[in-house]
Amino acid sequence: MVDGYPNFYFLATAPGSSLPMLTMERGITTPAGVKGPDGLRRPVILIRSSPWKAGHETNPWHDEFDVDHGHVRYFGDHKAGTTGLPGATPGNRGLLEAWRYHAGTSPAERLLAPPLILFRSTTVHRDGRAIVKGHVEFMGAALIERLEHVVQRDPQTGVTFPNIALDLAVVDLSDSGDELDMRWIYDRRDAALDAEKANRYAPESWKKWIKQGSAAVPSVRRRVLSSRIRSTAEQQPQAGSPEAEVLGKLYKFFDGRKHQFEQLAAVVAARVLGSSGASYSPGWLTRAGGDGGLDFVGRLDVGLPSANTPLVVLGQAKCVLPDSTVSAETVARVVARLRRGWLGVFVTTGSFSKSAQLEVIDDQYPLVLIAGLVLAEQVIAIAAADYAGDLDALLGAVEQDYEQAVTQRRPEEILRD
């Protein structure tokens, strides 16, 4: 520790190691390659951004750090006064070399890809003074998602110059509490280890990317949305609870006649949306087989009777095993049917996958997700309020109402009702 802060040089040096010290004297630090049993690899690339220098002659461009959404836009170290192509500087040369492995089409290539460890210069205050040098904030580990050649303009001189710009995907470290196991970096610098062993302490997200490549990037990207993401356990009733018993009964009742489940979903959606204080009007069900991601239609009138606006509500219902999850692709089909000013609602006996929830949250889709636990709670409440607690009576009414609720009307017709 130095002045109450962890010492980077100490953390970055393996115990008993005689290797040169890792430093961060430049924006891009590219340690020498290591010749392992299976070939040469660069162990790591250290990236440091100095936002307080943005617009300065030594850093006339602005790096963009959005680590909460797992994205960094980073510009290389070519400057107006640098001669030659963008690869002439050590930092850019290292990034261009790394891109070859990050864009690799095989796990063997990706094993050699050096992780980019991100830092951002930060200001600390000591004894009433602001200290702007010598302190950095760890921002995560990243892989290169895209690399492009760009032409930039120095704001001080007006001179244009070539450079490279990278889109970095910051990987998820939630399994380790957003901390990086430095043994990963120690191993990658150990020439006695092959590339596979050198990645044994890599984050699980990085290992997944090594195996699956670019297809895994959306699932390994860092997301700080935990307060709105519900785990499967949070979306399902506890085993042995009254809600679990009801949910099991619902699945058994509608399994084999899942189109009738749409009527129950419409009833539950009406209760959920109506509980917000707005006025909900149920509409109709679509015909089986031709819904295209649409099962029921309703209308939500928001505002006062004398000052309101109607919203078309499109609903989707999925009766699946309670331990099943609804994928992001399935949710996307519902979203694709929504128009401006329309609202979606998705009701299922199962749960929504993390990626499905992330898609809704990240893209701010107007879609209400009702999973098994909420479904069971609402069914119990409806049965208690309207059927003296008799669940069988409620299911009988749903079955009876199903046929007359089905129509071929277009969703926008609900606005004229």
Side-chain angles (χ1 to χ4, degrees):
M1 304 291 288
V2 177
D3 295 327
Y5 293 94
N7 182 357
F8 169 78
Y9 301 117
F10 174 79
L11 294 175
T13 303
S17 174
S18 60
L19 292 172
M21 182 183 295
L22 289 179
T23 65
M24 281 194 291
E25 296 177 355
R26 300 183 179 90
I28 306 171
T29 300
T30 53
V34 172
K35 191 173 183 180
D38 52 354
L40 187 68
R41 66 174 181 267
R42 191 179 298 278
V44 67
I45 295 179
L46 304 177
I47 299 288
R48 187 188 68 191
S49 179
S50 301
W52 51 274
K53 281 189 177 181
H56 188 271
E57 61 179 359
T58 62
N59 186 12
W61 45 90
H62 294 255
D63 300 322
E64 300 173 9
F65 278 67
D66 185 9
V67 293
D68 283 355
H69 293 86
H71 177 258
V72 169
R73 177 76 165 172
Y74 188 81
F75 293 93
D77 59 358
H78 204 96
K79 299 179 178 65
T82 308
T83 59
L85 296 174
T89 55
N92 277 5
R93 187 161 56 248
L95 291 173
L96 288 167
E97 175 195 275
W99 171 236
R100 168 191 166 191
Y101 299 103
H102 283 250
T105 56
S106 69
E109 290 177 291
R110 295 188 289 272
L111 275 170
L112 297 173
L116 276 61
I117 310 301
L118 309 177
F119 297 88
R120 186 165 58 185
S121 297
T122 188
T123 300
V124 300
H125 293 82
R126 188 181 306 125
D127 300 328
R129 296 182 299 114
I131 302 173
V132 297
K133 291 187 177 181
H135 295 80
V136 293
E137 178 185 6
F138 172 61
M139 303 303 291
L143 55 90
I144 303 174
E145 194 172 5
R146 281 178 295 274
L147 183 149
E148 60 181 327
H149 290 260
V150 297
V151 175
Q152 294 183 285
R153 179 180 179 275
D154 188 318
Q156 304 294 324
T157 65
V159 175
T160 59
F161 58 96
N163 202 0
I164 58 174
L166 300 92
D167 286 303
L168 309 180
V170 184
V171 299
D172 182 23
L173 298 179
S174 59
D175 289 344
S176 57
D178 269 348
E179 295 182 350
L180 190 71
D181 190 337
M182 289 302 293
R183 290 178 297 177
W184 181 27
I185 308 304
Y186 303 159
D187 280 356
R188 288 191 58 86
R189 300 189 76 196
D190 188 343
L193 301 178
D194 61 27
E196 186 168 359
K197 288 182 180 178
N199 283 289
R200 58 186 171 177
Y201 293 116
E204 291 303 315
S205 53
W206 189 271
K207 293 177 182 177
K208 182 176 180 179
W209 170 73
I210 288 176
K211 292 179 181 178
Q212 300 180 12
S214 59
V217 171
S219 62
V220 303
R221 189 188 300 275
R222 185 175 190 263
R223 293 284 195 277
V224 182
L225 299 165
S226 57
S227 63
R228 295 179 61 187
I229 299 295
R230 299 289 180 263
S231 66
T232 299
E234 292 173 312
Q235 297 178 70
Q236 290 293 309
Q238 291 186 355
S241 66
E243 291 81 7
E245 182 180 350
V246 167
L247 190 61
K249 187 169 184 177
L250 293 179
Y251 175 73
K252 291 178 181 178
F253 183 85
F254 290 108
D255 187 34
R257 42 182 169 181
K258 295 183 179 180
H259 294 303
Q260 293 184 10
F261 177 69
E262 297 167 7
Q263 175 63 19
L264 178 67
V267 172
V268 169
R271 181 178 176 87
V272 170
L273 296 179
S275 66
S276 65
S279 175
Y280 183 84
S281 302
W284 54 82
L285 307 182
T286 63
R287 291 198 177 277
D291 55 37
L294 168 63
D295 290 328
F296 60 89
V297 177
R299 189 180 78 196
L300 192 67
D301 294 300
V302 181
L304 301 171
S306 58
N308 66 72
T309 185
L311 303 176
V312 174
V313 176
L314 300 187
Q316 177 75 5
K318 287 289 181 186
C319 181
V320 296
L321 283 167
D323 60 359
S324 300
T325 55
V326 176
S327 68
E329 292 76 12
T330 302
V331 168
R333 285 197 290 271
V334 180
V335 172
R337 296 295 303 272
L338 298 178
R339 299 182 186 176
R340 184 188 298 272
W342 290 15
L343 177 69
V345 58
F346 200 126
V347 184
T348 181
T349 48
S351 305
F352 295 95
S353 68
K354 179 180 178 181
S355 59
Q357 296 177 71
L358 283 171
E359 184 159 333
V360 171
I361 295 169
D362 269 358
D363 294 325
Q364 299 181 344
Y365 292 139
L367 184 65
V368 179
L369 303 178
I370 301 176
L373 174 58
V374 175
L375 171 64
E377 291 173 341
Q378 294 301 313
V379 166
I380 291 172
I382 293 169
D386 301 330
Y387 298 91
D390 189 343
L391 179 59
D392 291 331
L394 168 58
L395 296 179
V398 167
E399 192 173 23
Q400 184 176 351
D401 294 341
Y402 169 72
E403 290 297 336
Q404 62 185 33
V406 176
T407 181
Q408 288 184 322
R409 297 177 65 188
R410 296 166 59 86
E412 53 269 27
E413 293 181 45
I414 192 75
L415 298 176
R416 298 196 292 268
D417 289 356

